[in-house]
Amino acid sequence: SQTIHQWPATLVQPVGSPLSLECTVEGTSNPNLYWYRQAAGRGLQLLFYSVGIGQISSEVPQNLSASRPQDRQFILSSKKLLLSDSGFYLCAWSPPGRDNEQFFGPGTRLTVL
Amino acid sequence: DQQVKQNSPSLSVQEGRISILNCDYTNSMFDYFLWYKKYPAEGPTFLISISSIKDKNEDGRFTVFLNKSAKHLSLHIVPSQPGDSAVYFCAASSAYSGAGSYQLTFGKGTKLSVIP
């Protein structure tokens, strides 16, 4: 069966510090991978998606970036965090060719102070 | 511009009764709809989905209804149980939007509280 992991589970970072959140998927090959953010009082906003190694598409301009160095690894990064980057970050995957059904990881709660 | 709207931020229902969660959408290109359930500090879990070629899909206590002409869908939970208390997200996607087909557009969610 497939599983998706995210770490860390929680993170408190000062403004201006860098960020690296990691997501890995097990039990599947060539998944589509996604990063979402859920901010307070808002729905889930798609930030990035990837259909393969090194292939990243951005949905929302921001100071975040994403990378996919391996087939089942997706990383969300920032060089300098802003207060507005606080939120709940979710990684998701979908089987190739079945993008409609996405399966989410446990999430990372990021607080920028 | 919010393409998927869940106008009720919260809903309280007595245990054993029916819970009805509503969702409206504006993009007529959406052709696949999903409901996700989310507990605090956890990722959303897929609950049930419906394609636009159907108007109803049932899975145990959960039924989703789709009214394409009204651009409205609803999730019915019968009977409601305390364990159903969570935030429910409605999501929609389109197979015809090119690169956008990878994108699920989510509503803001409705917090359901089932009272014992």
Side-chain angles (χ1 to χ4, degrees):
Chain A
S1 64
Q2 300 86 10
T3 54
I4 179 168
H5 305 277
Q6 283 186 247
W7 62 89
T10 60
L11 190 60
V12 180
Q13 292 283 97
V15 169
S17 63
L19 172 74
S20 181
L21 303 181
E22 189 164 344
C23 170
T24 58
V25 181
E26 295 177 356
T28 186
S29 296
N30 196 29
N32 296 322
L33 296 172
Y34 313 83
W35 277 112
Y36 287 87
R37 175 170 60 199
Q38 182 188 11
R42 306 182 69 174
L44 296 169
Q45 181 185 37
L46 178 66
L47 302 175
F48 301 95
Y49 67 88
S50 171
V51 301
I53 297 173
Q55 300 177 63
I56 309 294
S57 295
S58 174
E59 290 295 312
V60 181
Q62 61 232 316
N63 70 319
L64 300 170
S65 62
S67 61
R68 185 169 176 175
Q70 300 180 42
D71 181 45
R72 290 168 288 177
Q73 184 185 30
F74 205 23
I75 298 172
L76 182 69
S77 304
S78 174
K79 292 182 179 178
K80 287 186 178 182
L81 283 169
L82 306 173
L83 286 174
S84 58
D85 291 324
S86 293
F88 194 52
Y89 288 82
L90 291 154
C91 181
W93 73 277
S94 64
R98 287 176 54 192
D99 310 307
N100 281 335
E101 295 190 13
Q102 298 177 16
F103 304 90
F104 286 81
T108 295
R109 171 70 61 189
L110 172 66
T111 303
V112 182
L113 301 175
Chain B
D1 177 31
Q2 200 178 348
Q3 297 187 66
V4 177
K5 300 178 184 179
Q6 293 177 257
N7 292 320
S8 298
S10 62
L11 175 69
S12 290
V13 172
Q14 205 72 31
E15 180 179 5
R17 308 293 282 267
I18 184 171
S19 294
I20 300 177
L21 296 104
N22 293 305
C23 178
D24 298 292
Y25 61 96
T26 58
N27 188 341
S28 58
M29 298 302 290
F30 286 146
D31 58 3
Y32 196 79
F33 305 89
L34 308 90
W35 285 95
Y36 282 84
K37 175 181 178 180
K38 184 182 179 301
Y39 293 115
E42 293 184 10
T45 54
F46 171 73
L47 199 55
I48 193 169
S49 63
I50 187 167
S51 164
S52 61
I53 63 174
K54 295 185 175 182
D55 54 19
K56 176 183 174 181
N57 188 26
E58 191 171 352
D59 183 3
R61 297 186 296 113
F62 302 91
T63 303
V64 56
F65 295 92
L66 176 62
N67 182 335
K68 290 188 289 294
S69 60
K71 294 190 177 68
H72 176 84
L73 64 155
S74 60
L75 175 68
H76 292 210
I77 306 173
V78 182
S80 301
Q81 300 173 354
D84 296 328
S85 297
V87 176
Y88 289 79
F89 287 99
C90 171
S93 71
S94 167
Y96 303 103
S97 54
S101 67
Y102 298 104
Q103 179 173 347
L104 287 180
T105 302
F106 284 85
K108 291 186 177 182
T110 296
K111 184 178 181 180
L112 173 65
S113 300
V114 180
I115 304 164

